[in-house]
Amino acid sequence: MSAGEFAVRPVGPADIPGLCALLNEIIRIGGTTAMETPMTIESFLDTFFRSQIQISFMVAEASGGDLLGFQVLAAHEKLPEDWADIATFARVGSQTSGVGSALFAETLTQARRFELAAINATIRADNAGGLAYYDRMGFVTYKVDEKVPLKSGHRVDRISKGYRVISD
């Protein structure tokens, strides 16, 4: 599927069950998200809508209606006020090219609209695909939290990468 066969748009209420299912598949496979427990629709709403101040929540939708991925940009209490935290999730096994770039382009438009200075992405060190994605988007590593424990007891580094939205 080519980039012309999907659209990026704001998430709507009807998208929530499909996005929750997409995320749960990623969680079940493991190794690419800090989330370790599958979500109910209620916990999805709590995580992405009720417990954070959203700046942007975009979805990529195929021309046939399949949800290909989503990206959330939200305020985070551990970041400066003019920064936001980003999370990106893509459908497992999707062969659609350009989804991540298209999502980020729309998210970046919103970040500029809200006059953010920077965007933070925190990625597990064992998530090679996630690290490569944020590198391609222009993010730069600025901090590493070493040996963060998972529920299993396994420890993995968390890499924080920043993207400057506005230039000095």
Side-chain angles (χ1 to χ4, degrees):
M1 185 177 289
S2 69
E5 296 180 22
F6 69 88
V8 173
R9 61 171 176 75
V11 167
D15 298 320
I16 301 305
L19 295 179
C20 185
L22 184 154
L23 179 57
N24 280 339
E25 185 173 356
I26 295 167
I27 292 169
R28 274 191 281 283
I29 291 169
T32 61
T33 178
M35 297 176 196
E36 298 179 78
T37 304
M39 295 187 167
T40 63
I41 290 177
E42 195 65 25
S43 63
F44 185 92
L45 291 169
D46 285 344
T47 299
F48 292 107
F49 290 92
R50 297 180 186 132
S51 68
Q52 60 185 351
I53 299 170
Q54 268 186 29
I55 296 164
S56 175
F57 197 151
M58 306 303 286
V59 61
E61 180 181 30
S63 58
D66 289 340
L67 302 180
L68 304 173
F70 66 96
Q71 191 165 70
V72 180
L73 186 65
H76 193 285
E77 69 276 357
K78 293 183 180 178
L79 295 172
E81 283 188 26
D82 60 349
W83 282 53
D85 201 46
I86 193 169
T88 307
F89 303 95
R91 177 169 300 287
V92 174
S94 174
Q95 299 300 310
T96 307
S97 177
V99 168
S101 296
L103 283 167
F104 186 64
E106 290 297 324
T107 297
L108 189 54
T109 296
Q110 293 302 313
R112 288 183 175 128
R113 186 173 145 238
F114 282 88
E115 299 179 347
L116 294 177
I119 299 172
N120 172 75
T122 302
I123 309 106
R124 286 173 46 157
D126 57 351
N127 180 355
L131 291 167
Y133 167 73
Y134 286 109
D135 285 346
R136 280 193 312 276
M137 296 303 108
F139 284 70
V140 177
T141 299
Y142 70 90
K143 180 177 86 167
V144 176
D145 294 317
E146 296 180 351
K147 299 179 181 174
V148 178
L150 301 175
K151 281 180 15 182
S152 67
H154 179 72
R155 294 180 177 271
V156 64
D157 293 351
R158 300 263 168 90
I159 300 171
S160 294
K161 293 179 168 285
Y163 181 94
R164 289 196 60 75
V165 175
I166 55 173
S167 301
D168 293 331

